Amino acid sequence: MELPKEYDYNAIEEKWMNTWQDSMFYFDWNSEKPQFIIDTPPPYPTGNFHIGNALNWCYIDFVARYKRMRGFNVMFPEGWDCHGLPTEVKVEELNGITKSQVSREEFRQMCVDLTTKNIERMRKSLRRLGFSIDWSNEYITMDPSYFGKTQASFVKMYERGNIYQQNHPVNWCPRCETAIAFAEVEYDARDTVLNYLNFDKLQIATTRPELLAACVAVAVNPDDVRYSKYVNTEVKVPVFGHKVKVIADKSVDPTFGTGVVMICTFGDKQDVRWWVEHKLPLRKAIDKTGKMTGIAGKYAGMSTDECKKAIIEDMKIAGILYKQEKLDQNVGACWRCKTPIEILSERQWFVKIVAEDILNTAKEVTWVPDYMKVRLENWTGTMEWDWCISRQRIFATPIPAWYCAECGKTKVAKEEWLPLDPTQTSPPEACECGSTKFRGEEDVLDTWMDSSISALHVSGWLSDKPLLLPAQLRPQGYDIIRTWAFYTILRSKALLDKKPWDTILLNGMVLGEDGHKMSKSRNNFVVPEEVMKKNGADAFRQWAAIGGTTGSDIIFSWKDVVAGSRFLQKLWSIVRFSMPHISDEPAPYTPIDLWLLSKLNRLVKECTEKMDAYQFDETFKAIRGFAWEILADNYIELAKSRLYGDGEGKRAAQYTLFIAIDTLTRLLAPFLPYFSEEIYSHIKNESVHLAPYPQADESLINAEAEATGELIKELTAAIRRYKSEHGMALNAKLAGVEIYSTMEDASDIAGAANSEVILKTGTPDFETVPAALKPNMKVLGKTYRSRAKSIAEALMSADPKLAISGRIDFTVDGEDITLDNSCFTVEKERLLKGKAVDVLEVGSTLIVISRE
RNA sequence: GGGCCCGUGGUCUAGUCGGCUAUGACGUCGCUCUUACACAGCGGAGAUCCGGAGUUCGAGUCUCCGCGGGCCCA
């Protein structure tokens, strides 16, 4: 059967996508094989699988397919991290409502419906990209089967004292009206104004005069002699008139403003620190919606901005505010809506952070690349307080707790009651006080509470399956080290006292072709579907493999994608040529066959090592180099004449070609699932994705065979170059070619050169003279150190004939120096005489070509 | 302000333990449509490795300073 000339990726990718059975990639819970569980990142179901996801999934799929072929029992699950604000916002937008216009349950259902639709769309993209996902281990965090586990993890940690409820300052987004975690706070540079105020007998500087009503103390540096006499006295707060203490604290910067700061509850994180340390009272001036409270007197009900304007005006008139200056300041903002955050003291749920546990567990995990570990270490321990896990939203996992209507006591659910929604059901037992009336907790969990048990979930935690933690691999982007990686380590340690995974593999961010972050406004946005349509999945996957080193940022490049489809066409041509020739009948190899097989087995060894180290770019480049340069450009050219002929040499070439294509196809399978499956279907009756990864046959890796083959290749290349330089066609016949070497067989060279080749031994009748001496700096430098340079120069200017004996003597700076031949190489020059011949030199072998 | 990474031909990129004329791709120039492939083959040109200082016999590689970029954070 003849293959079509062009590789039709569209038809072939479509064909295999519809042929493959999901069951090929199922994890076997009862397998004897070593397990390889991947803790796949559950994407947020926006409906679109973006290119950053696609890169990450390519990495995962390379590993999954490779490990399967290496005999591992692989789980490549697919999760969906459903909960969160973006879906709530989208639902409000799509339905033209606000969440308060419908019941909680109704609103939740709208979110579920939208998410379900989005997941369905994204599943299609995943299939099209050829990912070998284990759909039997799909999980959806909004399903009761998953969020029940999230709730169970909450209950377990609560019972162990890892979770507690407390009135504590939290980061608060007044627009989203919810508490948020530190990981959700972004810092942006903003211009602000520093206001100088007469503060009783002192002057203070503040950027937040609207918080004057919340002032609970004034602080100075203990070493600041200007103010020492005021320490421990009281001052009256202007406008509001309440009295506050003057305290001394080292962390006050005496050079900032007047050197006196006011402490408010709460202007920023530093205020919280002082508030805790000096046991200051609490004055709430801002409510949950960002409006001024009753203690703000005439400003009550205003937004913080309005209040700021108003109070500044009033203080100017009253002569309290005497100076203003511009100040660059970094302001914390909500990462979702960019609204500046407030710090409010509210009753919230917290998870205890034990930095030491996290750092120790992180050390047990292998980080690829290793330097990424530092990012986690730097983040751990910088948090000012524990992880706030309660959110004042709707579409999220409900916190399984109630408050007794009588005594107000908190009742947390028992594990066996889960899953449940406390706003829909009551606890099946009475409160300690005897009351059976409860109010369900309306707060919900931070979505990271869902996703931070993904590793536990896929490893069989709380199921009828065995618990297989730790998983083997966590692939993720470095942008979520401080969140997903951090929280997963925390939870795995707290719940099971184990590391969640053996290895964490970090991928970089995908940048647009202009080198900037992809964004719609920059117009450098590319979606995987577009690439798929133009060049197919296998070409896209090649970009992912070779576009950059694992862990570093990678620029999307159409050039790489196009180069990918060209490589497919090249491979296709190789196979198309080979198909009528290959045979699985062994025959005695010729030198060039052995050369190819040695190179091939060396390649297999290299690929295995590099895949084990997650170096996809290097693996793929090695395979491509072999296929293109060694197999296509050299071996096939050299073996052609045998293949066209008859006899033993032909059968050897047929068998060698078969081995090469079979091996190459299996090496390519993790990267090019569609293409390799198509090729394999022409040579074997099974799926390449169920075939074993090639094993290097060490006995075929042979330096001598490679040297012989290399010489044949070089000699052929020299003849080709000769033709090219002389403007001859490559199949032009040369009149007389003589090769002087110890080689026994030049038939492949003759075939490739399309000329008769006469093998001769010895050397032709040339005169050979030493022409130059080349210093070996590696030896000279070590031996002669600082004099190496002058000795090298002397060597180069010495008469080369003097070195014929293998050693040379000369004088440098009056000193006699003797060098043996480890210190230099003698370059020889050949003098031709007589006939009109061209001489090509390949190492020590000479090709003599008669001129016509 | 701190941490991490990066700066190599026109563009992107490789470069281990410092060691001779720095890898590959795309582009470019010349030749060749050779019974797999012109989306190809063969050959060529093109880089004082961001700047400066230092260590060293020797630095793209190590150290320090500077400039520029990216990311994570305060």
Side-chain angles (χ1 to χ4, degrees), chain A residues 142-190:
Chain A
M142 68 181 179
D143 284 355
S145 60
Y146 190 97
F147 83 68
K149 286 193 187 180
T150 305
Q151 291 184 324
S153 72
F154 174 91
V155 171
K156 280 178 191 289
M157 287 179 72
Y158 176 79
E159 285 169 356
R160 281 173 212 185
N162 294 320
I163 288 180
Y164 62 92
Q165 207 180 7
Q166 201 180 57
N167 261 308
H168 190 279
V170 288
N171 298 306
W172 187 273
C173 174
R175 199 210 67 94
C176 305
E177 290 182 38
T178 181
I180 57 175
F182 277 111
E184 292 168 303
V185 179
E186 245 179 32
Y187 291 85
D188 284 325
R190 302 203 183 184

Side-chain angles (χ1 to χ4, degrees), chain A residues 423-448:
Chain A
T423 64
Q424 305 291 308
T425 55
S426 290
E429 59 181 37
C431 175
E432 284 166 35
C433 74
S435 165
T436 52
K437 288 184 94 182
F438 291 91
R439 180 174 58 81
E441 169 67 282
E442 290 204 348
D443 282 6
V444 292
L445 289 171
D446 179 4
T447 47
W448 293 111

Side-chain angles (χ1 to χ4, degrees), chain A residues 1 13 37 60 81 87 116 185 343 366 432 466 473 700 832:
Chain A
M1 177 189 63
E13 293 189 357
I37 296 179
I60 300 169
D81 184 17
T87 300
T116 307
V185 179
I343 297 177
T366 305
E432 284 166 35
L473 186 69
L700 282 168
L832 306 180

Side-chain angles (χ1 to χ4, degrees), chain A residues 768-779:
Chain A
T768 312
V769 292
L773 298 176
K774 239 182 153 184
N776 184 353
M777 291 312 291
K778 205 167 186 169
V779 177

Side-chain angles (χ1 to χ4, degrees), chain A residues 400-595:
Chain A
W402 299 266
Y403 302 100
C404 175
E406 296 291 329
C407 68
K409 222 175 163 123
T410 306
K411 187 171 196 65
V412 170
K414 297 254 158 40
E415 235 187 292
E416 54 272 23
W417 304 345
L418 305 172
L420 60 80
D421 182 346
T423 64
Q424 305 291 308
T425 55
S426 290
E429 59 181 37
C431 175
E432 284 166 35
C433 74
S435 165
T436 52
K437 288 184 94 182
F438 291 91
R439 180 174 58 81
E441 169 67 282
E442 290 204 348
D443 282 6
V444 292
L445 289 171
D446 179 4
T447 47
W448 293 111
M449 279 291 281
D450 297 337
S451 57
S452 56
I453 57 162
S454 63
L456 278 60
H457 173 79
V458 298
S459 306
W461 186 63
L462 298 186
S463 74
D464 51 3
K465 312 281 192 341
L467 177 66
L468 302 177
L469 202 76
Q472 277 52 60
L473 186 69
R474 154 62 70 88
Q476 64 161 76
Y478 63 67
D479 55 332
I480 49 174
I481 288 175
R482 68 188 166 126
T483 48
W484 197 36
F486 179 87
Y487 291 141
T488 306
I489 292 173
L490 185 163
R491 304 262 273 148
S492 177
K493 184 72 184 166
L495 287 162
L496 291 162
D497 196 26
K498 278 183 163 184
K499 63 175 171 181
W501 351 269
D502 295 331
T503 301
I504 179 166
L505 174 67
L506 281 313
N507 65 273
M509 301 295 113
V510 177
L511 307 176
E513 291 214 89
D514 56 2
H516 288 96
K517 216 173 190 169
M518 274 198 190
S519 70
K520 274 155 201 151
S521 57
R522 275 192 199 273
N523 204 25
N524 61 354
F525 209 85
V526 177
V527 295
E529 277 69 23
E530 188 187 351
V531 185
M532 216 64 24
K533 213 176 279 168
K534 285 185 184 148
N535 299 87
D538 284 338
F540 178 82
R541 294 169 63 108
Q542 285 181 72
W543 159 75
I546 60 171
T549 316
T550 319
S552 60
D553 286 347
I554 156 168
I555 294 180
F556 176 79
S557 141
W558 282 107
K559 267 195 251 171
D560 283 345
V561 175
V562 170
S565 52
R566 281 187 192 167
F567 179 51
L568 290 176
Q569 179 57 47
K570 182 74 187 180
L571 284 167
W572 185 250
S573 301
I574 293 171
V575 174
R576 181 165 170 266
F577 166 79
S578 306
M579 277 314 294
H581 297 296
I582 58 172
S583 149
D584 54 4
E585 295 278 319
Y589 297 122
T590 68
I592 203 70
D593 298 332
L594 288 167
W595 166 77

Side-chain angles (χ1 to χ4, degrees), chain A residues 163 270 369 404 433 599 601 639 690 714 732 794:
Chain A
I163 288 180
Q270 186 56 43
C404 175
C433 74
K599 291 276 195 192
N601 282 286
L690 300 174
E714 292 296 329

Side-chain angles (χ1 to χ4, degrees), chain A residues 726-792:
Chain A
H726 289 77
M728 299 166 153
L730 284 183
N731 64 345
K733 232 185 172 75
L734 293 169
V737 180
E738 292 179 351
I739 295 178
Y740 289 82
S741 84
T742 53
M743 219 169 27
E744 284 161 17
D745 179 9
S747 56
D748 285 339
I749 300 177
N754 194 28
S755 308
E756 214 178 305
V757 172
I758 299 162
L759 272 180
K760 292 201 168 177
T761 51
T763 36
D765 204 8
F766 296 138
E767 198 184 341
T768 312
V769 292
L773 298 176
K774 239 182 153 184
N776 184 353
M777 291 312 291
K778 205 167 186 169
V779 177
L780 284 181
K782 273 197 183 125
T783 319
Y784 294 101
R785 318 301 296 178
S786 59
R787 287 180 299 150
K789 201 171 181 187
S790 45
I791 292 175

